[in-house]
mmCIF file of all heavy atoms in Angstrom:
data_model
loop_
_atom_site.group_PDB
_atom_site.id
_atom_site.type_symbol
_atom_site.label_atom_id
_atom_site.label_comp_id
_atom_site.label_asym_id
_atom_site.label_seq_id
_atom_site.Cartn_x
_atom_site.Cartn_y
_atom_site.Cartn_z
ATOM 1 N N VAL X 1 -221.800 -102.952 -21.088
ATOM 2 C CA VAL X 1 -222.826 -102.232 -20.336
ATOM 3 C C VAL X 1 -223.014 -100.808 -20.862
ATOM 4 O O VAL X 1 -224.059 -100.179 -20.629
ATOM 5 C CB VAL X 1 -222.474 -102.240 -18.825
ATOM 6 C CG1 VAL X 1 -221.511 -101.125 -18.467
ATOM 7 C CG2 VAL X 1 -223.729 -102.179 -17.964
ATOM 8 N N LYS X 2 -222.032 -100.314 -21.597
ATOM 9 C CA LYS X 2 -222.129 -98.974 -22.198
ATOM 10 C C LYS X 2 -222.955 -98.992 -23.487
ATOM 11 O O LYS X 2 -223.219 -97.938 -24.063
ATOM 12 C CB LYS X 2 -220.727 -98.426 -22.503
ATOM 13 C CG LYS X 2 -219.838 -98.270 -21.293
ATOM 14 C CD LYS X 2 -220.334 -97.198 -20.354
ATOM 15 C CE LYS X 2 -219.329 -96.969 -19.231
ATOM 16 N NZ LYS X 2 -219.804 -95.951 -18.264
ATOM 17 N N ASP X 3 -223.320 -100.203 -23.942
ATOM 18 C CA ASP X 3 -224.135 -100.375 -25.144
ATOM 19 C C ASP X 3 -223.509 -99.684 -26.358
ATOM 20 O O ASP X 3 -224.164 -98.902 -27.053
ATOM 21 C CB ASP X 3 -225.552 -99.822 -24.892
ATOM 22 C CG ASP X 3 -226.572 -100.394 -25.863
ATOM 23 O OD1 ASP X 3 -226.321 -101.487 -26.409
ATOM 24 O OD2 ASP X 3 -227.612 -99.745 -26.080
ATOM 25 N N PRO X 4 -222.233 -99.999 -26.666
ATOM 26 C CA PRO X 4 -221.545 -99.309 -27.769
ATOM 27 C C PRO X 4 -221.887 -99.917 -29.124
ATOM 28 O O PRO X 4 -222.420 -101.022 -29.216
ATOM 29 C CB PRO X 4 -220.068 -99.543 -27.432
ATOM 30 C CG PRO X 4 -220.082 -100.911 -26.809
ATOM 31 C CD PRO X 4 -221.368 -100.991 -26.017
ATOM 32 N N ASP X 5 -221.524 -99.197 -30.178
ATOM 33 C CA ASP X 5 -221.627 -99.745 -31.534
ATOM 34 C C ASP X 5 -220.448 -100.664 -31.835
ATOM 35 O O ASP X 5 -220.560 -101.601 -32.619
ATOM 36 C CB ASP X 5 -221.651 -98.613 -32.571
ATOM 37 C CG ASP X 5 -222.901 -97.760 -32.461
ATOM 38 O OD1 ASP X 5 -223.951 -98.303 -32.084
ATOM 39 O OD2 ASP X 5 -222.812 -96.556 -32.730
ATOM 40 N N LEU X 6 -219.287 -100.357 -31.218
ATOM 41 C CA LEU X 6 -218.059 -101.089 -31.518
ATOM 42 C C LEU X 6 -217.236 -101.260 -30.251
ATOM 43 O O LEU X 6 -217.085 -100.332 -29.455
ATOM 44 C CB LEU X 6 -217.235 -100.329 -32.563
ATOM 45 C CG LEU X 6 -215.882 -100.926 -32.953
ATOM 46 C CD1 LEU X 6 -216.063 -102.251 -33.681
ATOM 47 C CD2 LEU X 6 -215.093 -99.946 -33.814
ATOM 48 N N ILE X 7 -216.703 -102.489 -30.072
ATOM 49 C CA ILE X 7 -215.786 -102.773 -28.967
ATOM 50 C C ILE X 7 -214.443 -103.175 -29.571
ATOM 51 O O ILE X 7 -214.388 -104.048 -30.438
ATOM 52 C CB ILE X 7 -216.319 -103.900 -28.069
ATOM 53 C CG1 ILE X 7 -217.680 -103.511 -27.466
ATOM 54 C CG2 ILE X 7 -215.329 -104.212 -26.944
ATOM 55 C CD1 ILE X 7 -218.336 -104.625 -26.663
ATOM 56 N N VAL X 8 -213.375 -102.520 -29.127
ATOM 57 C CA VAL X 8 -212.019 -102.849 -29.582
ATOM 58 C C VAL X 8 -211.284 -103.507 -28.422
ATOM 59 O O VAL X 8 -211.144 -102.912 -27.353
ATOM 60 C CB VAL X 8 -211.258 -101.592 -30.048
ATOM 61 C CG1 VAL X 8 -209.855 -101.961 -30.509
ATOM 62 C CG2 VAL X 8 -212.019 -100.881 -31.162
ATOM 63 N N LEU X 9 -210.837 -104.743 -28.622
ATOM 64 C CA LEU X 9 -210.181 -105.504 -27.565
ATOM 65 C C LEU X 9 -208.722 -105.769 -27.939
ATOM 66 O O LEU X 9 -208.448 -106.372 -28.971
ATOM 67 C CB LEU X 9 -210.904 -106.838 -27.337
ATOM 68 C CG LEU X 9 -212.397 -106.736 -27.008
ATOM 69 C CD1 LEU X 9 -213.226 -107.116 -28.235
ATOM 70 C CD2 LEU X 9 -212.764 -107.624 -25.840
ATOM 71 N N ASP X 10 -207.824 -105.293 -27.090
ATOM 72 C CA ASP X 10 -206.387 -105.428 -27.348
ATOM 73 C C ASP X 10 -205.859 -106.671 -26.639
ATOM 74 O O ASP X 10 -205.812 -106.724 -25.403
ATOM 75 C CB ASP X 10 -205.664 -104.184 -26.840
ATOM 76 C CG ASP X 10 -204.235 -104.100 -27.330
ATOM 77 O OD1 ASP X 10 -203.795 -105.011 -28.054
ATOM 78 O OD2 ASP X 10 -203.554 -103.115 -26.986
ATOM 79 N N GLU X 11 -205.483 -107.691 -27.410
ATOM 80 C CA GLU X 11 -204.920 -108.940 -26.901
ATOM 81 C C GLU X 11 -205.765 -109.558 -25.774
ATOM 82 O O GLU X 11 -205.257 -109.834 -24.678
ATOM 83 C CB GLU X 11 -203.484 -108.710 -26.392
ATOM 84 C CG GLU X 11 -202.510 -108.247 -27.444
ATOM 85 C CD GLU X 11 -202.052 -109.356 -28.401
ATOM 86 O OE1 GLU X 11 -202.549 -110.482 -28.269
ATOM 87 O OE2 GLU X 11 -201.220 -109.073 -29.271
ATOM 88 N N PRO X 12 -207.059 -109.808 -26.016
ATOM 89 C CA PRO X 12 -207.906 -110.353 -24.944
ATOM 90 C C PRO X 12 -207.573 -111.795 -24.576
ATOM 91 O O PRO X 12 -208.005 -112.276 -23.523
ATOM 92 C CB PRO X 12 -209.314 -110.258 -25.538
ATOM 93 C CG PRO X 12 -209.104 -110.344 -27.015
ATOM 94 C CD PRO X 12 -207.812 -109.621 -27.262
ATOM 95 N N PHE X 13 -206.808 -112.503 -25.428
ATOM 96 C CA PHE X 13 -206.520 -113.916 -25.177
ATOM 97 C C PHE X 13 -205.089 -114.163 -24.714
ATOM 98 O O PHE X 13 -204.706 -115.315 -24.507
ATOM 99 C CB PHE X 13 -206.781 -114.730 -26.450
ATOM 100 C CG PHE X 13 -208.136 -114.500 -27.047
ATOM 101 C CD1 PHE X 13 -208.275 -114.277 -28.411
ATOM 102 C CD2 PHE X 13 -209.276 -114.478 -26.268
ATOM 103 C CE1 PHE X 13 -209.521 -114.055 -28.976
ATOM 104 C CE2 PHE X 13 -210.522 -114.251 -26.822
ATOM 105 C CZ PHE X 13 -210.653 -114.038 -28.179
ATOM 106 N N ALA X 14 -204.295 -113.104 -24.554
ATOM 107 C CA ALA X 14 -202.889 -113.276 -24.206
ATOM 108 C C ALA X 14 -202.739 -113.924 -22.832
ATOM 109 O O ALA X 14 -203.434 -113.566 -21.873
ATOM 110 C CB ALA X 14 -202.186 -111.916 -24.222
ATOM 111 N N ASP X 15 -201.843 -114.900 -22.744
ATOM 112 C CA ASP X 15 -201.475 -115.552 -21.475
ATOM 113 C C ASP X 15 -202.633 -116.274 -20.798
ATOM 114 O O ASP X 15 -202.633 -116.436 -19.571
ATOM 115 C CB ASP X 15 -200.888 -114.520 -20.493
ATOM 116 C CG ASP X 15 -199.713 -113.755 -21.086
ATOM 117 O OD1 ASP X 15 -198.883 -114.390 -21.756
ATOM 118 O OD2 ASP X 15 -199.639 -112.536 -20.897
ATOM 119 N N LEU X 16 -203.622 -116.710 -21.570
ATOM 120 C CA LEU X 16 -204.754 -117.435 -21.003
ATOM 121 C C LEU X 16 -204.756 -118.875 -21.514
ATOM 122 O O LEU X 16 -204.341 -119.153 -22.637
ATOM 123 C CB LEU X 16 -206.078 -116.760 -21.369
ATOM 124 C CG LEU X 16 -206.308 -115.346 -20.833
ATOM 125 C CD1 LEU X 16 -207.659 -114.818 -21.323
ATOM 126 C CD2 LEU X 16 -206.247 -115.301 -19.315
ATOM 127 N N ASP X 17 -205.241 -119.794 -20.681
ATOM 128 C CA ASP X 17 -205.365 -121.183 -21.089
ATOM 129 C C ASP X 17 -206.387 -121.313 -22.213
ATOM 130 O O ASP X 17 -207.309 -120.497 -22.329
ATOM 131 C CB ASP X 17 -205.789 -122.061 -19.909
ATOM 132 C CG ASP X 17 -204.723 -122.125 -18.826
ATOM 133 O OD1 ASP X 17 -203.548 -121.887 -19.148
ATOM 134 O OD2 ASP X 17 -205.075 -122.394 -17.658
ATOM 135 N N SER X 18 -206.257 -122.357 -23.019
ATOM 136 C CA SER X 18 -207.102 -122.527 -24.205
ATOM 137 C C SER X 18 -208.586 -122.616 -23.854
ATOM 138 O O SER X 18 -209.427 -122.104 -24.592
ATOM 139 C CB SER X 18 -206.676 -123.777 -24.982
ATOM 140 O OG SER X 18 -206.754 -124.931 -24.163
ATOM 141 N N ASP X 19 -208.919 -123.245 -22.703
ATOM 142 C CA ASP X 19 -210.334 -123.348 -22.344
ATOM 143 C C ASP X 19 -210.912 -121.991 -21.968
ATOM 144 O O ASP X 19 -212.079 -121.692 -22.266
ATOM 145 C CB ASP X 19 -210.546 -124.356 -21.214
ATOM 146 C CG ASP X 19 -209.749 -124.020 -19.966
ATOM 147 O OD1 ASP X 19 -208.711 -123.328 -20.089
ATOM 148 O OD2 ASP X 19 -210.154 -124.437 -18.861
ATOM 149 N N ILE X 20 -210.090 -121.135 -21.346
ATOM 150 C CA ILE X 20 -210.545 -119.779 -21.002
ATOM 151 C C ILE X 20 -210.688 -118.949 -22.275
ATOM 152 O O ILE X 20 -211.651 -118.194 -22.433
ATOM 153 C CB ILE X 20 -209.567 -119.105 -20.024
ATOM 154 C CG1 ILE X 20 -209.498 -119.900 -18.718
ATOM 155 C CG2 ILE X 20 -209.992 -117.672 -19.739
ATOM 156 C CD1 ILE X 20 -208.456 -119.391 -17.742
ATOM 157 N N VAL X 21 -209.727 -119.102 -23.196
ATOM 158 C CA VAL X 21 -209.803 -118.408 -24.491
ATOM 159 C C VAL X 21 -211.097 -118.778 -25.202
ATOM 160 O O VAL X 21 -211.812 -117.915 -25.721
ATOM 161 C CB VAL X 21 -208.584 -118.758 -25.371
ATOM 162 C CG1 VAL X 21 -208.803 -118.264 -26.806
ATOM 163 C CG2 VAL X 21 -207.320 -118.154 -24.801
ATOM 164 N N GLU X 22 -211.402 -120.067 -25.208
ATOM 165 C CA GLU X 22 -212.611 -120.534 -25.889
ATOM 166 C C GLU X 22 -213.856 -119.934 -25.254
ATOM 167 O O GLU X 22 -214.789 -119.530 -25.953
ATOM 168 C CB GLU X 22 -212.675 -122.061 -25.829
ATOM 169 C CG GLU X 22 -213.818 -122.650 -26.632
ATOM 170 C CD GLU X 22 -213.763 -124.162 -26.696
ATOM 171 O OE1 GLU X 22 -212.703 -124.738 -26.371
ATOM 172 O OE2 GLU X 22 -214.779 -124.763 -27.092
ATOM 173 N N GLY X 23 -213.866 -119.837 -23.925
ATOM 174 C CA GLY X 23 -215.026 -119.270 -23.238
ATOM 175 C C GLY X 23 -215.220 -117.797 -23.534
ATOM 176 O O GLY X 23 -216.334 -117.343 -23.803
ATOM 177 N N ILE X 24 -214.125 -117.033 -23.498
ATOM 178 C CA ILE X 24 -214.212 -115.601 -23.769
ATOM 179 C C ILE X 24 -214.571 -115.350 -25.229
ATOM 180 O O ILE X 24 -215.396 -114.494 -25.552
ATOM 181 C CB ILE X 24 -212.890 -114.894 -23.394
ATOM 182 C CG1 ILE X 24 -212.693 -114.927 -21.874
ATOM 183 C CG2 ILE X 24 -212.870 -113.457 -23.902
ATOM 184 C CD1 ILE X 24 -211.382 -114.336 -21.403
ATOM 185 N N ASP X 25 -213.966 -116.125 -26.126
ATOM 186 C CA ASP X 25 -214.257 -115.981 -27.553
ATOM 187 C C ASP X 25 -215.724 -116.303 -27.828
ATOM 188 O O ASP X 25 -216.394 -115.608 -28.586
ATOM 189 C CB ASP X 25 -213.351 -116.902 -28.359
ATOM 190 C CG ASP X 25 -213.423 -116.621 -29.848
ATOM 191 O OD1 ASP X 25 -213.061 -115.508 -30.251
ATOM 192 O OD2 ASP X 25 -213.845 -117.507 -30.601
ATOM 193 N N GLY X 26 -216.234 -117.348 -27.185
ATOM 194 C CA GLY X 26 -217.643 -117.707 -27.349
ATOM 195 C C GLY X 26 -218.559 -116.610 -26.851
ATOM 196 O O GLY X 26 -219.598 -116.330 -27.462
ATOM 197 N N ALA X 27 -218.159 -115.965 -25.747
ATOM 198 C CA ALA X 27 -218.968 -114.863 -25.208
ATOM 199 C C ALA X 27 -219.003 -113.688 -26.183
ATOM 200 O O ALA X 27 -220.061 -113.083 -26.417
ATOM 201 C CB ALA X 27 -218.396 -114.415 -23.860
ATOM 202 N N LEU X 28 -217.855 -113.377 -26.785
ATOM 203 C CA LEU X 28 -217.799 -112.271 -27.740
ATOM 204 C C LEU X 28 -218.710 -112.526 -28.939
ATOM 205 O O LEU X 28 -219.403 -111.625 -29.423
ATOM 206 C CB LEU X 28 -216.365 -112.058 -28.220
ATOM 207 C CG LEU X 28 -215.375 -111.472 -27.213
ATOM 208 C CD1 LEU X 28 -213.959 -111.516 -27.783
ATOM 209 C CD2 LEU X 28 -215.753 -110.058 -26.843
ATOM 210 N N LEU X 29 -218.701 -113.764 -29.419
ATOM 211 C CA LEU X 29 -219.492 -114.090 -30.609
ATOM 212 C C LEU X 29 -220.991 -114.061 -30.348
ATOM 213 O O LEU X 29 -221.781 -114.099 -31.288
ATOM 214 C CB LEU X 29 -219.068 -115.459 -31.152
ATOM 215 C CG LEU X 29 -217.672 -115.486 -31.796
ATOM 216 C CD1 LEU X 29 -217.233 -116.915 -32.091
ATOM 217 C CD2 LEU X 29 -217.650 -114.649 -33.073
ATOM 218 N N LYS X 30 -221.391 -113.986 -29.074
ATOM 219 C CA LYS X 30 -222.810 -113.875 -28.743
ATOM 220 C C LYS X 30 -223.308 -112.431 -28.851
ATOM 221 O O LYS X 30 -224.509 -112.187 -28.790
ATOM 222 C CB LYS X 30 -223.066 -114.399 -27.328
ATOM 223 C CG LYS X 30 -222.924 -115.909 -27.191
ATOM 224 C CD LYS X 30 -223.182 -116.349 -25.751
ATOM 225 C CE LYS X 30 -222.990 -117.843 -25.592
ATOM 226 N NZ LYS X 30 -223.161 -118.268 -24.171
ATOM 227 N N LEU X 31 -222.375 -111.493 -28.977
ATOM 228 C CA LEU X 31 -222.780 -110.093 -29.101
ATOM 229 C C LEU X 31 -223.576 -109.900 -30.383
ATOM 230 O O LEU X 31 -223.123 -110.262 -31.457
ATOM 231 C CB LEU X 31 -221.555 -109.178 -29.113
ATOM 232 C CG LEU X 31 -220.736 -109.083 -27.821
ATOM 233 C CD1 LEU X 31 -219.492 -108.247 -28.065
ATOM 234 C CD2 LEU X 31 -221.565 -108.479 -26.709
ATOM 235 N N LYS X 32 -224.741 -109.320 -30.268
ATOM 236 C CA LYS X 32 -225.595 -109.093 -31.435
ATOM 237 C C LYS X 32 -225.735 -107.613 -31.766
ATOM 238 O O LYS X 32 -225.910 -107.238 -32.919
ATOM 239 C CB LYS X 32 -226.993 -109.691 -31.182
ATOM 240 C CG LYS X 32 -226.998 -111.195 -30.917
ATOM 241 C CD LYS X 32 -226.452 -111.992 -32.081
ATOM 242 C CE LYS X 32 -226.501 -113.486 -31.810
ATOM 243 N NZ LYS X 32 -225.845 -114.276 -32.884
ATOM 244 N N ASP X 33 -225.651 -106.754 -30.742
ATOM 245 C CA ASP X 33 -225.900 -105.328 -30.952
ATOM 246 C C ASP X 33 -224.619 -104.524 -31.143
ATOM 247 O O ASP X 33 -224.671 -103.338 -31.464
ATOM 248 C CB ASP X 33 -226.684 -104.753 -29.763
ATOM 249 C CG ASP X 33 -228.035 -105.443 -29.586
ATOM 250 O OD1 ASP X 33 -228.649 -105.796 -30.608
ATOM 251 O OD2 ASP X 33 -228.462 -105.628 -28.440
ATOM 252 N N SER X 34 -223.468 -105.148 -30.924
ATOM 253 C CA SER X 34 -222.193 -104.446 -31.060
ATOM 254 C C SER X 34 -221.243 -105.259 -31.930
ATOM 255 O O SER X 34 -221.136 -106.477 -31.762
ATOM 256 C CB SER X 34 -221.535 -104.240 -29.685
ATOM 257 O OG SER X 34 -222.384 -103.541 -28.789
ATOM 258 N N GLY X 35 -220.557 -104.577 -32.849
ATOM 259 C CA GLY X 35 -219.473 -105.230 -33.550
ATOM 260 C C GLY X 35 -218.235 -105.191 -32.671
ATOM 261 O O GLY X 35 -218.177 -104.431 -31.703
ATOM 262 N N PHE X 36 -217.250 -106.018 -32.982
ATOM 263 C CA PHE X 36 -216.026 -105.949 -32.195
ATOM 264 C C PHE X 36 -214.810 -106.234 -33.062
ATOM 265 O O PHE X 36 -214.888 -106.909 -34.084
ATOM 266 C CB PHE X 36 -216.064 -106.888 -30.977
ATOM 267 C CG PHE X 36 -216.088 -108.358 -31.291
ATOM 268 C CD1 PHE X 36 -214.910 -109.065 -31.544
ATOM 269 C CD2 PHE X 36 -217.278 -109.064 -31.298
ATOM 270 C CE1 PHE X 36 -214.920 -110.413 -31.815
ATOM 271 C CE2 PHE X 36 -217.306 -110.419 -31.563
ATOM 272 C CZ PHE X 36 -216.124 -111.104 -31.821
ATOM 273 N N ILE X 37 -213.685 -105.671 -32.620
ATOM 274 C CA ILE X 37 -212.393 -105.889 -33.264
ATOM 275 C C ILE X 37 -211.454 -106.464 -32.218
ATOM 276 O O ILE X 37 -211.276 -105.879 -31.147
ATOM 277 C CB ILE X 37 -211.801 -104.580 -33.812
ATOM 278 C CG1 ILE X 37 -212.721 -103.956 -34.867
ATOM 279 C CG2 ILE X 37 -210.423 -104.822 -34.407
ATOM 280 C CD1 ILE X 37 -212.293 -102.567 -35.301
ATOM 281 N N VAL X 38 -210.889 -107.624 -32.504
ATOM 282 C CA VAL X 38 -209.907 -108.249 -31.619
ATOM 283 C C VAL X 38 -208.527 -108.054 -32.234
ATOM 284 O O VAL X 38 -208.295 -108.391 -33.396
ATOM 285 C CB VAL X 38 -210.197 -109.754 -31.429
ATOM 286 C CG1 VAL X 38 -208.991 -110.471 -30.840
ATOM 287 C CG2 VAL X 38 -211.412 -109.952 -30.540
ATOM 288 N N ILE X 39 -207.606 -107.483 -31.453
ATOM 289 C CA ILE X 39 -206.218 -107.342 -31.858
ATOM 290 C C ILE X 39 -205.441 -108.477 -31.199
ATOM 291 O O ILE X 39 -205.511 -108.653 -29.978
ATOM 292 C CB ILE X 39 -205.633 -105.986 -31.396
ATOM 293 C CG1 ILE X 39 -206.534 -104.813 -31.823
ATOM 294 C CG2 ILE X 39 -204.217 -105.811 -31.900
ATOM 295 C CD1 ILE X 39 -206.657 -104.604 -33.287
ATOM 296 N N SER X 40 -204.719 -109.270 -31.978
ATOM 297 C CA SER X 40 -204.067 -110.446 -31.399
ATOM 298 C C SER X 40 -202.783 -110.820 -32.131
ATOM 299 O O SER X 40 -202.694 -110.693 -33.353
ATOM 300 C CB SER X 40 -205.036 -111.638 -31.433
ATOM 301 O OG SER X 40 -204.439 -112.802 -30.913
ATOM 302 N N HIS X 41 -201.799 -111.293 -31.359
ATOM 303 C CA HIS X 41 -200.588 -111.855 -31.977
ATOM 304 C C HIS X 41 -200.752 -113.362 -32.175
ATOM 305 O O HIS X 41 -199.895 -114.007 -32.755
ATOM 306 C CB HIS X 41 -199.355 -111.576 -31.110
ATOM 307 C CG HIS X 41 -199.328 -112.353 -29.827
ATOM 308 N ND1 HIS X 41 -199.995 -111.936 -28.695
ATOM 309 C CD2 HIS X 41 -198.721 -113.524 -29.503
ATOM 310 C CE1 HIS X 41 -199.794 -112.820 -27.727
ATOM 311 N NE2 HIS X 41 -199.030 -113.793 -28.185
#
């Protein structure tokens, strides 16, 4: 909602079920106006 150029997400998939991970990951990939960096183990 802040309409940034870049979003940095720290461990957005940690401790989540695979179907929830897939949903959140799919939502991120729909971003067209902002790049993003996912930090993940």
Side-chain angles (χ1 to χ4, degrees):
V1 84
K2 299 293 186 182
D3 201 23
D5 294 328
L6 178 66
I7 300 175
V8 180
L9 304 104
D10 193 359
E11 298 284 3
F13 308 133
D15 305 318
L16 296 179
D17 294 337
S18 58
D19 57 335
I20 298 174
V21 169
E22 186 173 345
I24 292 176
D25 190 63
L28 289 172
L29 289 170
K30 290 180 182 177
L31 293 174
K32 300 299 182 186
D33 300 324
S34 303
F36 66 84
I37 299 172
V38 164
I39 308 295
S40 179
H41 70 276

